[in-house]
mmCIF file of all heavy atoms in Angstrom:
data_model
loop_
_atom_site.group_PDB
_atom_site.id
_atom_site.type_symbol
_atom_site.label_atom_id
_atom_site.label_comp_id
_atom_site.label_asym_id
_atom_site.label_seq_id
_atom_site.Cartn_x
_atom_site.Cartn_y
_atom_site.Cartn_z
ATOM 1 N N GLY A 1 1.548 33.542 14.775
ATOM 2 C CA GLY A 1 0.576 32.466 14.777
ATOM 3 C C GLY A 1 -0.740 32.889 14.158
ATOM 4 O O GLY A 1 -1.276 32.206 13.269
ATOM 5 N N ILE A 2 -1.276 34.034 14.590
ATOM 6 C CA ILE A 2 -2.532 34.528 14.048
ATOM 7 C C ILE A 2 -2.380 34.865 12.569
ATOM 8 O O ILE A 2 -3.237 34.518 11.746
ATOM 9 C CB ILE A 2 -3.012 35.759 14.858
ATOM 10 C CG1 ILE A 2 -3.311 35.363 16.305
ATOM 11 C CG2 ILE A 2 -4.233 36.397 14.211
ATOM 12 C CD1 ILE A 2 -3.636 36.516 17.221
ATOM 13 N N LEU A 3 -1.298 35.514 12.221
ATOM 14 C CA LEU A 3 -1.069 35.866 10.814
ATOM 15 C C LEU A 3 -0.875 34.636 9.948
ATOM 16 O O LEU A 3 -1.394 34.546 8.822
ATOM 17 C CB LEU A 3 0.143 36.794 10.695
ATOM 18 C CG LEU A 3 -0.058 38.228 11.163
ATOM 19 C CD1 LEU A 3 1.276 38.944 11.262
ATOM 20 C CD2 LEU A 3 -1.007 38.984 10.221
ATOM 21 N N GLY A 4 -0.123 33.654 10.440
ATOM 22 C CA GLY A 4 0.123 32.442 9.660
ATOM 23 C C GLY A 4 -1.153 31.705 9.342
ATOM 24 O O GLY A 4 -1.375 31.268 8.207
ATOM 25 N N VAL A 5 -2.033 31.567 10.337
ATOM 26 C CA VAL A 5 -3.292 30.866 10.115
ATOM 27 C C VAL A 5 -4.198 31.636 9.183
ATOM 28 O O VAL A 5 -4.858 31.066 8.311
ATOM 29 C CB VAL A 5 -4.009 30.597 11.463
ATOM 30 C CG1 VAL A 5 -5.396 30.017 11.226
ATOM 31 C CG2 VAL A 5 -3.175 29.666 12.335
ATOM 32 N N GLY A 6 -4.206 32.966 9.313
ATOM 33 C CA GLY A 6 -5.148 33.781 8.544
ATOM 34 C C GLY A 6 -4.673 34.202 7.183
ATOM 35 O O GLY A 6 -5.452 34.808 6.427
ATOM 36 N N MET A 7 -3.434 33.885 6.802
ATOM 37 C CA MET A 7 -2.890 34.433 5.558
ATOM 38 C C MET A 7 -3.473 33.792 4.298
ATOM 39 O O MET A 7 -3.326 34.342 3.200
ATOM 40 C CB MET A 7 -1.362 34.309 5.555
ATOM 41 C CG MET A 7 -0.849 32.880 5.529
ATOM 42 S SD MET A 7 0.936 32.768 5.893
ATOM 43 C CE MET A 7 1.642 33.457 4.412
ATOM 44 N N GLY A 8 -4.193 32.688 4.431
ATOM 45 C CA GLY A 8 -4.820 32.063 3.259
ATOM 46 C C GLY A 8 -6.174 32.645 2.923
ATOM 47 O O GLY A 8 -6.753 32.290 1.890
ATOM 48 N N SER A 9 -6.695 33.518 3.765
ATOM 49 C CA SER A 9 -8.028 34.074 3.546
ATOM 50 C C SER A 9 -7.941 35.513 3.045
ATOM 51 O O SER A 9 -7.033 36.262 3.408
ATOM 52 C CB SER A 9 -8.829 34.046 4.852
ATOM 53 O OG SER A 9 -10.072 34.691 4.690
ATOM 54 N N SER A 10 -8.933 35.884 2.242
ATOM 55 C CA SER A 10 -9.035 37.291 1.805
ATOM 56 C C SER A 10 -9.561 38.179 2.928
ATOM 57 O O SER A 10 -9.484 39.409 2.856
ATOM 58 C CB SER A 10 -9.965 37.407 0.601
ATOM 59 O OG SER A 10 -11.271 36.947 0.933
ATOM 60 N N ARG A 11 -10.097 37.561 3.965
ATOM 61 C CA ARG A 11 -10.616 38.304 5.123
ATOM 62 C C ARG A 11 -9.616 38.120 6.262
ATOM 63 O O ARG A 11 -9.537 37.054 6.876
ATOM 64 C CB ARG A 11 -12.003 37.791 5.473
ATOM 65 C CG ARG A 11 -12.930 37.898 4.249
ATOM 66 C CD ARG A 11 -14.364 37.653 4.554
ATOM 67 N NE ARG A 11 -14.652 36.322 5.028
ATOM 68 C CZ ARG A 11 -15.892 35.884 5.277
ATOM 69 N NH1 ARG A 11 -16.922 36.700 5.099
ATOM 70 N NH2 ARG A 11 -16.106 34.657 5.707
ATOM 71 N N LEU A 12 -8.842 39.140 6.499
ATOM 72 C CA LEU A 12 -7.627 39.035 7.291
ATOM 73 C C LEU A 12 -7.912 38.963 8.787
ATOM 74 O O LEU A 12 -8.983 39.358 9.255
ATOM 75 C CB LEU A 12 -6.712 40.219 6.966
ATOM 76 C CG LEU A 12 -6.200 40.226 5.519
ATOM 77 C CD1 LEU A 12 -5.360 41.464 5.247
ATOM 78 C CD2 LEU A 12 -5.403 38.959 5.210
ATOM 79 N N PRO A 13 -6.947 38.438 9.561
ATOM 80 C CA PRO A 13 -7.159 38.169 10.985
ATOM 81 C C PRO A 13 -7.167 39.441 11.844
ATOM 82 O O PRO A 13 -6.760 40.526 11.405
ATOM 83 C CB PRO A 13 -5.993 37.258 11.338
ATOM 84 C CG PRO A 13 -4.925 37.606 10.373
ATOM 85 C CD PRO A 13 -5.631 37.965 9.098
ATOM 86 N N ARG A 14 -7.588 39.253 13.068
ATOM 87 C CA ARG A 14 -7.591 40.326 14.072
ATOM 88 C C ARG A 14 -7.235 39.710 15.429
ATOM 89 O O ARG A 14 -7.445 38.526 15.671
ATOM 90 C CB ARG A 14 -8.966 40.997 14.213
ATOM 91 C CG ARG A 14 -9.563 41.599 12.961
ATOM 92 C CD ARG A 14 -8.858 42.856 12.524
ATOM 93 N NE ARG A 14 -9.599 43.565 11.488
ATOM 94 C CZ ARG A 14 -9.580 43.261 10.197
ATOM 95 N NH1 ARG A 14 -8.879 42.214 9.769
ATOM 96 N NH2 ARG A 14 -10.263 43.988 9.319
ATOM 97 N N LEU A 15 -6.726 40.558 16.311
ATOM 98 C CA LEU A 15 -6.611 40.234 17.731
ATOM 99 C C LEU A 15 -7.401 41.299 18.467
ATOM 100 O O LEU A 15 -7.243 42.500 18.181
ATOM 101 C CB LEU A 15 -5.151 40.244 18.192
ATOM 102 C CG LEU A 15 -4.904 40.059 19.696
ATOM 103 C CD1 LEU A 15 -5.332 38.656 20.142
ATOM 104 C CD2 LEU A 15 -3.423 40.282 20.052
ATOM 105 N N VAL A 16 -8.266 40.884 19.387
ATOM 106 C CA VAL A 16 -9.122 41.813 20.114
ATOM 107 C C VAL A 16 -8.900 41.621 21.605
ATOM 108 O O VAL A 16 -8.899 40.496 22.110
ATOM 109 C CB VAL A 16 -10.611 41.599 19.779
ATOM 110 C CG1 VAL A 16 -11.491 42.586 20.554
ATOM 111 C CG2 VAL A 16 -10.857 41.755 18.277
ATOM 112 N N ARG A 17 -8.700 42.724 22.307
ATOM 113 C CA ARG A 17 -8.566 42.725 23.766
ATOM 114 C C ARG A 17 -9.789 43.397 24.360
ATOM 115 O O ARG A 17 -10.111 44.542 24.005
ATOM 116 C CB ARG A 17 -7.301 43.456 24.190
ATOM 117 C CG ARG A 17 -7.085 43.546 25.707
ATOM 118 C CD ARG A 17 -5.839 44.382 25.990
ATOM 119 N NE ARG A 17 -5.515 44.441 27.398
ATOM 120 C CZ ARG A 17 -6.017 45.317 28.265
ATOM 121 N NH1 ARG A 17 -6.905 46.239 27.825
ATOM 122 N NH2 ARG A 17 -5.678 45.317 29.540
ATOM 123 N N VAL A 18 -10.477 42.724 25.264
ATOM 124 C CA VAL A 18 -11.670 43.246 25.925
ATOM 125 C C VAL A 18 -11.413 43.226 27.417
ATOM 126 O O VAL A 18 -11.085 42.185 27.977
ATOM 127 C CB VAL A 18 -12.917 42.399 25.588
ATOM 128 C CG1 VAL A 18 -14.166 42.973 26.226
ATOM 129 C CG2 VAL A 18 -13.089 42.258 24.084
ATOM 130 N N GLU A 19 -11.555 44.378 28.071
ATOM 131 C CA GLU A 19 -11.212 44.448 29.495
ATOM 132 C C GLU A 19 -12.329 45.065 30.316
ATOM 133 O O GLU A 19 -12.832 46.147 30.025
ATOM 134 C CB GLU A 19 -9.940 45.270 29.696
ATOM 135 C CG GLU A 19 -9.525 45.333 31.177
ATOM 136 C CD GLU A 19 -8.323 46.225 31.414
ATOM 137 O OE1 GLU A 19 -8.386 47.409 31.032
ATOM 138 O OE2 GLU A 19 -7.316 45.743 31.964
ATOM 139 N N TRP A 20 -12.692 44.343 31.382
ATOM 140 C CA TRP A 20 -13.542 44.878 32.454
ATOM 141 C C TRP A 20 -12.648 45.106 33.661
ATOM 142 O O TRP A 20 -12.026 44.172 34.175
ATOM 143 C CB TRP A 20 -14.671 43.882 32.788
ATOM 144 C CG TRP A 20 -15.286 44.085 34.151
ATOM 145 C CD1 TRP A 20 -15.260 43.218 35.197
ATOM 146 C CD2 TRP A 20 -16.036 45.232 34.602
ATOM 147 N NE1 TRP A 20 -15.933 43.732 36.270
ATOM 148 C CE2 TRP A 20 -16.426 44.962 35.942
ATOM 149 C CE3 TRP A 20 -16.401 46.432 34.016
ATOM 150 C CZ2 TRP A 20 -17.167 45.877 36.705
ATOM 151 C CZ3 TRP A 20 -17.149 47.344 34.771
ATOM 152 C CH2 TRP A 20 -17.520 47.060 36.080
ATOM 153 N N LYS A 21 -12.526 46.348 34.093
ATOM 154 C CA LYS A 21 -11.615 46.688 35.191
ATOM 155 C C LYS A 21 -12.340 47.598 36.154
ATOM 156 O O LYS A 21 -12.291 48.828 36.034
ATOM 157 C CB LYS A 21 -10.349 47.351 34.660
ATOM 158 C CG LYS A 21 -9.262 47.542 35.715
ATOM 159 C CD LYS A 21 -7.971 48.086 35.107
ATOM 160 C CE LYS A 21 -6.872 48.190 36.154
ATOM 161 N NZ LYS A 21 -5.603 48.664 35.557
ATOM 162 N N PRO A 22 -13.014 47.042 37.170
ATOM 163 C CA PRO A 22 -13.732 47.863 38.134
ATOM 164 C C PRO A 22 -12.792 48.548 39.124
ATOM 165 O O PRO A 22 -11.667 48.084 39.351
ATOM 166 C CB PRO A 22 -14.630 46.844 38.837
ATOM 167 C CG PRO A 22 -13.849 45.571 38.781
ATOM 168 C CD PRO A 22 -13.121 45.601 37.449
ATOM 169 N N ALA A 23 -13.268 49.628 39.695
ATOM 170 C CA ALA A 23 -12.444 50.373 40.654
ATOM 171 C C ALA A 23 -12.130 49.539 41.901
ATOM 172 O O ALA A 23 -11.081 49.720 42.522
ATOM 173 C CB ALA A 23 -13.164 51.668 41.046
ATOM 174 N N ASP A 24 -13.028 48.633 42.253
ATOM 175 C CA ASP A 24 -12.841 47.816 43.466
ATOM 176 C C ASP A 24 -12.315 46.429 43.152
ATOM 177 O O ASP A 24 -12.565 45.463 43.877
ATOM 178 C CB ASP A 24 -14.158 47.715 44.239
ATOM 179 C CG ASP A 24 -15.285 47.081 43.406
ATOM 180 O OD1 ASP A 24 -15.122 46.967 42.165
ATOM 181 O OD2 ASP A 24 -16.317 46.703 43.989
ATOM 182 N N SER A 25 -11.544 46.302 42.083
ATOM 183 C CA SER A 25 -11.072 44.994 41.627
ATOM 184 C C SER A 25 -10.255 44.287 42.699
ATOM 185 O O SER A 25 -9.381 44.878 43.337
ATOM 186 C CB SER A 25 -10.221 45.165 40.372
ATOM 187 O OG SER A 25 -9.696 43.906 39.969
ATOM 188 N N LYS A 26 -10.538 43.000 42.875
ATOM 189 C CA LYS A 26 -9.830 42.182 43.876
ATOM 190 C C LYS A 26 -8.987 41.091 43.216
ATOM 191 O O LYS A 26 -8.647 40.087 43.858
ATOM 192 C CB LYS A 26 -10.849 41.554 44.827
ATOM 193 C CG LYS A 26 -11.588 42.574 45.678
ATOM 194 C CD LYS A 26 -12.589 41.885 46.604
ATOM 195 C CE LYS A 26 -13.199 42.881 47.576
ATOM 196 N NZ LYS A 26 -14.003 43.910 46.889
ATOM 197 N N GLY A 27 -8.654 41.254 41.954
ATOM 198 C CA GLY A 27 -7.845 40.266 41.256
ATOM 199 C C GLY A 27 -7.962 40.442 39.766
ATOM 200 O O GLY A 27 -8.706 41.313 39.287
ATOM 201 N N HIS A 28 -7.212 39.646 39.031
ATOM 202 C CA HIS A 28 -7.173 39.768 37.572
ATOM 203 C C HIS A 28 -7.146 38.391 36.937
ATOM 204 O O HIS A 28 -6.219 37.601 37.176
ATOM 205 C CB HIS A 28 -5.938 40.579 37.141
ATOM 206 C CG HIS A 28 -5.814 40.772 35.667
ATOM 207 N ND1 HIS A 28 -4.679 41.294 35.086
ATOM 208 C CD2 HIS A 28 -6.669 40.511 34.645
ATOM 209 C CE1 HIS A 28 -4.843 41.346 33.771
ATOM 210 N NE2 HIS A 28 -6.051 40.870 33.489
ATOM 211 N N VAL A 29 -8.178 38.078 36.162
ATOM 212 C CA VAL A 29 -8.249 36.824 35.411
ATOM 213 C C VAL A 29 -8.134 37.149 33.923
ATOM 214 O O VAL A 29 -8.885 37.978 33.404
ATOM 215 C CB VAL A 29 -9.573 36.078 35.671
ATOM 216 C CG1 VAL A 29 -9.628 34.802 34.839
ATOM 217 C CG2 VAL A 29 -9.728 35.766 37.162
ATOM 218 N N ALA A 30 -7.182 36.533 33.249
ATOM 219 C CA ALA A 30 -7.044 36.696 31.802
ATOM 220 C C ALA A 30 -7.636 35.498 31.088
ATOM 221 O O ALA A 30 -7.494 34.351 31.544
ATOM 222 C CB ALA A 30 -5.568 36.865 31.414
#
């Protein structure tokens, strides 16, 4: 999906994962 949308541009796509994971975590929201 990401590649298909971005393949028309000379500036190619990316996927970025950013995670905050504290030691006292009480759950996980994506």
Side-chain angles (χ1 to χ4, degrees):
I2 296 173
L3 286 168
V5 173
M7 65 193 289
S9 175
S10 60
R11 304 190 296 184
L12 296 177
R14 303 288 191 279
L15 174 66
V16 180
R17 178 184 184 273
V18 183
E19 182 184 56
W20 159 244
K21 189 174 184 178
D24 59 347
S25 177
K26 295 180 173 64
H28 180 190
V29 178

